[in-house]
Amino acid sequence: MALITTTKGEMDDSLLEKREGSVDNDNELTRWVEYWLDGELVHRSVHVHLKKNVLADGVAAMIG
Amino acid sequence: MANTQAMCTSFKTELLTATHNFGTAPTRGTGTADTFYGALYLASATLNASTTAYTATGEVSGPGYSAGGIAVTNATPPTSSGTTAYWTPSASLVYTGVTLTTAFDTVLIYNQTQSNKAVSVHTFGSQTITAGTFILTMPANTNTTALLRLA
């Protein structure tokens, strides 16, 4: 039993339907969790783990 | 022995610490690191390599989110390995207790200390948050995976 922050305030998770999912691709690993109450989304949290970066390649050409 | 044309790796690292200044500005009066922020943007926004500074246009809005985003934890100074200089925020960006109902897919890292000048744009799959937390975890801080790399 745990309390979940929802659009209706703190609620016991036993009263809610929990849905989870994830996406894993070259750019990110993303996990999300949702809690629903009588067909209404009352909580959604997301954790995105970035895999890609931005690269300044050939800096010499930019400056020289 | 032979000479080899190259940009010095130490110089790349020093670019990340503003050691060199080929222009006339900015003037730096302190030896402390600047403060960087991460702001979230709607999937409908148009941030890209041409973005020069933080803008409120296209930024997310909603309960729990403050315009401008949140400060980036910067406890690890830039470094280099091989011929690549690199830097990564030293902690995840955590937007706690927010509701962002319009899809967003981008974070802009910008330098609040230097007139909100843009640093980098990073995209991810579109998300919404409902009375929850959005966590953006950075890639490992190595010369091949760091968030910012000068190769």
Side-chain angles (χ1 to χ4, degrees), chain A:
Chain A
M1 187 172 76
L3 288 178
I4 304 299
T5 300
T6 74
T7 55
K8 302 179 185 306
E10 300 281 315
M11 296 190 69
D12 191 309
D13 65 350
S14 65
L15 302 173
L16 305 170
E17 176 192 353
K18 184 179 183 180
R19 301 178 188 175
E20 295 177 282
S22 63
V23 173
D24 191 357
N25 56 38
D26 290 343
N27 187 60
E28 64 189 271
L29 169 59
T30 295
R31 292 190 174 91
W32 53 266
V33 59
E34 296 174 347
Y35 288 91
W36 293 74
L37 176 65
D38 298 330
E40 179 184 352
L41 177 64
V42 294
H43 175 102
R44 187 173 201 271
S45 286
V46 178
H47 186 170
V48 174
H49 191 147
L50 292 175
K51 296 180 181 178
K52 280 191 172 178
N53 48 44
V54 289
L55 171 66
D57 201 357
V59 177
M62 295 166 54
I63 296 175

Side-chain angles (χ1 to χ4, degrees), chain B residues 117-143:
Chain B
K117 292 183 184 300
V119 174
S120 57
V121 178
H122 307 272
T123 60
F124 41 83
S126 290
Q127 300 297 337
T128 61
I129 303 295
T130 301
T133 298
F134 179 65
I135 302 174
L136 193 58
T137 295
M138 299 297 144
N141 190 35
T142 73
N143 64 333

Side-chain angles (χ1 to χ4, degrees), chain B residues 13-143:
Chain B
T13 304
E14 289 158 0
L15 288 178
L16 294 174
T17 56
T19 301
H20 304 276
N21 185 357
F22 294 94
T24 57
T27 299
R28 291 188 166 274
T30 71
T32 58
D34 291 343
T35 299
F36 296 87
Y37 267 67
L40 299 174
Y41 285 85
L42 301 174
S44 58
T46 54
L47 274 68
N48 50 45
S50 299
T51 300
T52 58
Y54 161 78
T55 175
T57 302
E59 187 178 14
V60 302
S61 64
Y65 181 87
S66 299
I70 60 174
V72 172
T73 304
N74 179 23
T76 306
T79 188
S80 65
S81 180
T83 59
T84 300
Y86 57 94
W87 174 84
T88 300
S90 50
S92 299
L93 276 64
V94 181
Y95 303 83
T96 304
V98 296
T99 294
L100 306 169
T101 56
T102 304
F104 63 95
D105 68 354
T106 299
V107 62
L108 170 70
I109 305 296
Y110 67 95
N111 188 336
Q112 188 203 45
T113 306
Q114 297 296 335
S115 305
N116 294 336
K117 292 183 184 300
V119 174
S120 57
V121 178
H122 307 272
T123 60
F124 41 83
S126 290
Q127 300 297 337
T128 61
I129 303 295
T130 301
T133 298
F134 179 65
I135 302 174
L136 193 58
T137 295
M138 299 297 144
N141 190 35
T142 73
N143 64 333

